[in-house]
Amino acid sequence: MYLCGGSLGLSRLMLDEHDQDAILEYDEREIQEHFREFYVDAIEEFQKAGKIVQFKVSCNHEVHLRGNVYVQYSSEEECAAAYKMFNGRWYAQRQLSCELCPVQKWKTAICGK
């Protein structure tokens, strides 16, 4: 079971979802550094709910997937605890909207597959 949090990070990189050129204002080094900072911060917070098995961030140009985070915990109880802990919380000036996602295989979870 995964905890899915919409648009947690990468928001600074894509300030205007309708401006396809917004990402061109950052070089690859800046993008990697921002992601590393986000990753370290997010992992530290998500570990407070339990043991993380997988942590995935959608780096997608589709607006509805951009910045979505998927966290797989070792048990459904830990996942439920994370949901209670993070749903509705604010991060990077955005309110988190979490849901439980019963993803079995990532290949089937990819949009458009």
Side-chain angles (χ1 to χ4, degrees):
M1 179 84 54
Y2 286 84
L3 176 71
C4 307
S7 299
L8 273 180
L10 309 180
S11 60
R12 195 171 73 198
L13 300 180
M14 300 172 186
L15 298 174
D16 184 349
E17 61 193 36
H18 302 291
D19 180 3
Q20 296 298 316
D21 294 330
I23 192 72
L24 299 176
E25 297 175 12
Y26 299 93
D27 65 25
E28 189 65 29
R29 183 190 55 73
E30 289 173 310
I31 293 169
Q32 289 295 341
E33 179 59 25
H34 176 69
F35 181 76
R36 188 192 69 72
E37 290 171 4
F38 163 74
Y39 180 86
V40 169
D41 187 40
I43 287 288
E44 184 177 297
E45 287 299 306
F46 285 120
Q47 285 176 333
K48 292 176 182 177
K51 182 181 177 191
I52 295 173
V53 176
Q54 287 192 70
F55 177 82
K56 296 183 180 282
V57 179
S58 176
C59 183
N60 196 307
H61 291 286
E62 295 295 327
V63 175
H64 71 285
L65 292 177
R66 191 177 301 155
N68 283 357
V69 173
Y70 302 87
V71 183
Q72 180 183 13
Y73 287 94
S74 61
S75 73
E76 288 186 15
E77 293 78 20
E78 290 172 336
C79 196
Y83 178 85
K84 288 176 76 175
M85 191 180 299
F86 296 107
N87 191 44
R89 182 173 159 183
W90 289 83
Y91 181 85
Q93 300 174 343
R94 292 183 179 203
Q95 190 171 25
L96 305 182
S97 175
C98 301
E99 57 186 84
L100 301 176
C101 306
V103 175
Q104 299 286 328
K105 295 180 182 178
W106 277 103
K107 188 172 185 174
T108 60
I110 297 171
C111 188
K113 294 283 182 179

